[in-house]
Amino acid sequence: IGTTEVEKQIACRFNFLDSFVALNGALIVNASILILSAAVFYQHAVVTEIQQAHALLAPLLGTTLASVLFAVALLASGQSSTLTGTLAGQIVMEGFLELRMKPWLRRVVTRAIAVVPAAITIWIAGDKGSYQLLILSQVVLSLQLPFAVIPLIQFTGDKKRMGSFANRPWVKILAWSAAVLILALNLRLAWMAIGEWAGTHPWLWFVLVPCAAFLLTLLAWIALEPYLPSRFRAGSSAAAAPLNIAIDLPVPHYRKILVPLDHSEFDRVAIAHAAATAKVHGAKIFLLHIEEGVTSQLFGSLASTAEIEAGKHYFGSIVGSLVAMGIDAEIAITHSTNPKAEIVRFAKELKPDLIVMGAHGHTGFKDLIFGTTINAVRHALEVPILVVRHGNLS
C-alpha cells in the first residue's frame, strides 16, 4: 500500500474515532437525562417544563448536587448540538452550496438564525411561548429526520465510497428497519397534525396536503435515486464525462498593465513583476498614485506641497527607468479621499488586462486601521489581479 493510501486509511480511522466519541458522548448525556426523568419524575410529579425539572430534582433526590449535574448535562448537550450544527453547516455551505465566508461571520449568521427567533418568541410570549417553540422545534426535527437518515444509510452502505468500512448486510437490515419505523411514525404524526389543524381551518387541506405530497415525493426520490437508471441520477452526466480543465487552455495576452503605487518600499516588488510581464507580452505599464492628504482633499489637482513635489520626482524617475529598459510606461497622479474607489474608477476607464498590486501583509487589527485596499478592488473589478509581496527577486 502506498504512503498516500496509508494516510487516507489513518485519517478515516481517526475521523471514525472522533465521530464515535462525539456521538456516543452525546448519547450518554441525553440517555442519562431521559433515564433520570423517567425514574424520578414519573412516580413523584408531573413535569411539563424544563424549569420544573431543575426545581424538583433537589427535593426528590435529597441533594442539591443533582440540580447542578443536571444543568451541566444540559450545557454539554447544548454544546454538542451547537458543534454538530456548526460543522454540518460549514460542510453544506462550502461543499454543496459553494458559499465560502469567514468562520466568524458564518458562526454569527447561523447562530443568529437559531437564537433570534427564540429570543423574539420569549420576549413576546414569555415562558409559555418558549415551551411551545421547543415542542415545535422537536416536531420539525422529527419530520426532517428521514431526510438525513436515508441518505446516511445509503452513503455508509456504498462500497465505492466507504470501501472496507461499508456497512455489513446485517447493519443495513437494522438501519433500514429503523428508517422505516421512523418514517411510519412521522407519517402518523403528520396525518394527525394535518387533521387537527384542518378541522379548525378547512382551507388548510389545500395547502398542507400538496406540501406533504411534495415532501413524500422528494423523500421517495432520495431513497430510490441510487437504484434509478443513470440518466435519472443527480450529477450522472458530470460523473460520466468529467471535465478536464487543463485541455485547450486559453493563452492570456496582456497589453495594458495597471500598477497602483503608494510611495513605499512595496512599490519596488510590484514594478519588478509588472516589468517582467510587460517584457514578455510587450505591454504598456500604467502607474497610478493617489494623493490622499489633507491638502489634496481640499484643493485636489491644485494642491502643491513638498511631499507632493517629491512624489512627482519619485514617480517620474520610475517612468524614466522603465523607458530606459525598453518598456512603455506612463504615470497618472490623482487626488481622492478614497483610494479604493479611485483605483476602481481609474481601472474601469483604462480597462487593463492585468493589475499588479503590492501587499503590505498586515492582518487582523491592522486591517481595521490601515484598511484592505486589495479586497475592495478585487471585489469591484473583473480584471485579473496579481498580488505580490517582498521576496527573492533575483
Side-chain angles (χ1 to χ4, degrees):
I1 302 177
T3 303
T4 303
E5 185 64 26
V6 172
E7 292 175 350
K8 288 182 179 179
Q9 292 194 13
I10 293 174
C12 287
R13 283 175 169 80
F14 274 108
N15 288 335
F16 173 78
L17 180 61
D18 291 342
S19 302
F20 180 81
V21 172
L23 293 177
N24 281 278
L27 172 64
I28 293 173
V29 171
N30 288 282
S32 300
I33 295 175
L34 182 62
I35 294 171
L36 177 66
S37 302
V40 176
F41 300 122
Y42 178 73
Q43 297 180 356
H44 298 85
V46 177
V47 178
T48 58
E49 297 184 6
I50 198 168
Q51 294 89 337
Q52 294 175 279
H54 170 73
L56 293 174
L57 267 174
L60 291 177
L61 296 179
T63 174
T64 57
L65 181 61
S67 300
V68 176
L69 293 178
F70 187 74
V72 172
L74 286 179
L75 179 62
S77 178
Q79 289 299 314
S80 175
S81 300
T82 301
L83 291 173
T84 304
T86 301
L87 293 175
Q90 177 179 349
I91 293 172
V92 170
M93 293 175 69
E94 294 184 353
F96 293 96
L97 302 180
E98 296 184 357
L99 180 60
R100 292 173 172 81
M101 62 178 66
K102 294 183 178 179
W104 69 267
L105 180 59
R106 179 174 56 248
R107 296 185 188 110
V108 169
V109 173
T110 55
R111 291 300 91 201
I113 294 175
V115 172
V116 171
I120 294 176
T121 302
I122 295 174
W123 181 48
I124 295 177
D127 292 342
K128 184 178 180 181
S130 63
Y131 174 70
Q132 294 175 346
L133 180 63
L134 178 63
I135 297 299
L136 178 61
S137 68
Q138 298 306 303
V139 172
V140 174
L141 180 63
S142 174
L143 291 176
Q144 65 86 34
L145 194 57
F147 292 91
V149 171
I150 291 177
L152 178 63
I153 296 174
Q154 293 174 339
F155 189 92
T156 56
D158 189 351
K159 291 186 177 180
K160 294 181 180 179
R161 294 187 177 97
M162 300 299 296
S164 60
F165 298 100
N167 291 336
R168 302 294 186 267
W170 64 271
V171 177
K172 292 182 181 180
I173 293 174
L174 292 177
W176 281 112
S177 300
V180 171
L181 177 61
I182 292 172
L183 181 59
L185 293 175
N186 276 279
L187 289 176
R188 177 173 174 77
L189 173 63
W191 180 256
M192 293 173 59
I194 291 175
E196 181 180 352
W197 295 340
T200 307
H201 305 284
W203 58 271
L204 286 176
W205 284 105
F206 300 99
V207 178
L208 297 178
V209 171
C211 292
F214 170 76
L215 293 176
L216 281 176
T217 303
L218 177 61
L219 186 60
W221 182 81
I222 292 175
L224 300 176
E225 190 267 344
Y227 311 103
L228 296 176
S230 59
R231 63 178 180 273
F232 296 109
R233 295 180 188 175
S236 59
S237 59
L243 178 63
N244 190 339
I245 61 174
I247 295 179
D248 298 330
L249 287 175
V251 180
H253 188 72
Y254 306 120
R255 297 184 180 277
K256 298 179 182 179
I257 301 177
L258 174 61
V259 186
L261 305 177
D262 60 358
H263 202 166
S264 70
E265 68 272 19
F266 299 98
D267 293 345
R268 177 180 174 81
V269 64
I271 294 173
H273 285 274
T277 306
K279 282 185 177 181
V280 174
H281 294 267
K284 181 177 181 179
I285 295 179
F286 292 84
L287 304 177
L288 172 65
H289 176 67
I290 302 166
E291 291 287 353
E292 52 179 324
V294 176
T295 305
S296 297
Q297 294 178 15
L298 291 175
F299 300 103
S301 60
L302 298 178
S304 178
T305 64
E307 181 182 1
I308 293 176
E309 294 302 319
K312 291 180 179 179
H313 177 73
Y314 166 75
F315 295 117
S317 64
I318 293 176
V319 173
S321 299
L322 291 174
V323 172
M325 296 168 56
I327 300 174
D328 192 7
E330 67 177 60
I331 179 70
I333 299 177
T334 63
H335 303 263
S336 175
T337 59
N338 190 340
K340 306 171 188 177
E342 183 63 18
I343 293 175
V344 172
R345 182 199 64 79
F346 189 88
K348 288 183 177 180
E349 293 182 358
L350 179 64
K351 297 180 180 177
D353 303 300
L354 177 68
I355 300 178
V356 180
M357 301 184 69
H360 293 264
H362 53 67
T363 58
F365 184 69
K366 289 185 178 180
D367 281 344
L368 299 177
I369 300 176
F370 300 109
T372 53
T373 303
I374 293 177
N375 281 336
V377 173
R378 70 183 181 90
H379 286 306
L381 299 174
E382 296 181 356
V383 181
I385 298 178
L386 175 62
V387 180
V388 297
R389 295 181 62 178
H390 278 302
N392 186 6
L393 300 178
S394 59

